[in-house]
Amino acid sequence: MKSTYQTKDFWAGCVYVAIGLAAILIAQDYKMGTAARMGAGYFPRVLSGLLMLIGLASILRAFLQPGEKVERIQLRPMLLIVGSTLIFAASVRYLGTVIAVPLMGLLAASASRMFRIAVPALVGLALLTAFCTIVFQMGLGVPLPILGSLFGG
């Protein structure tokens, strides 16, 4: 018989509660406002509260019914995914989105044992890059260079 503390429901709930608590602590100095006139802290606190409720429900569920056991943590995929995000953040100003986005995508995708560089993967990266450029830079006006300072952008 496996312990409740070894189930995915239990640990997912703990993560949700921890993230919710962290967000509430971060937003504690923001003005709350009202539902009609929301302050800067209203939205983060409401979402954090909802996230914590979902987490508590998940923890409760772990105690009420058997769940799937947590498998051994795979460090390589976790490091590749987190690392790809950090490399994107560190390189986007210098390389621009047209290079940083596909670089991040390739690094993150390489975390999967099934990933192979093939035409469909490259087409997907090109579409992702175009989508990010159109939505974030042209649509939302996020101040990231299309071509970075390394290329004179």
Side-chain angles (χ1 to χ4, degrees):
M1 182 169 151
K2 63 185 159 200
S3 168
T4 298
Y5 302 106
Q6 294 176 338
T7 64
K8 289 183 178 181
D9 285 338
F10 177 80
W11 288 108
C14 289
V15 169
Y16 293 160
V17 169
I19 291 171
L21 280 172
I24 284 178
L25 290 173
I26 290 168
Q28 72 183 353
D29 292 332
Y30 300 162
K31 291 186 180 181
M32 184 69 171
T34 65
R37 294 186 51 88
M38 296 178 195
Y42 190 89
F43 191 68
R45 287 185 194 159
V46 169
L47 282 184
S48 298
L50 291 173
L51 186 61
M52 288 173 28
L53 284 175
I54 291 169
L56 291 172
S58 184
I59 292 170
L60 179 64
R61 182 172 137 176
F63 284 100
L64 297 178
Q65 65 186 29
E68 193 176 338
K69 185 178 176 189
V70 174
E71 297 175 14
R72 189 175 140 261
I73 294 175
Q74 302 292 322
L75 285 178
R76 181 184 173 274
M78 184 171 53
L79 291 174
L80 282 167
I81 291 171
V82 172
S84 70
T85 305
L86 295 174
I87 288 172
F88 173 82
S91 69
V92 71
R93 297 264 181 223
Y94 304 104
L95 300 176
T97 54
V98 295
I99 295 176
V101 169
L103 176 64
M104 178 185 66
L106 282 171
L107 284 171
S110 68
S112 170
R113 295 175 197 257
M114 299 173 58
F115 176 73
R116 302 286 178 264
I117 294 179
V119 172
L122 296 174
V123 168
L125 284 172
L127 290 173
L128 176 66
T129 302
F131 177 80
C132 289
T133 301
I134 292 167
V135 170
F136 292 108
Q137 291 165 301
M138 297 174 181
L140 298 173
V142 176
L144 294 175
I146 292 173
L147 283 175
S149 61
L150 189 64
F151 302 103

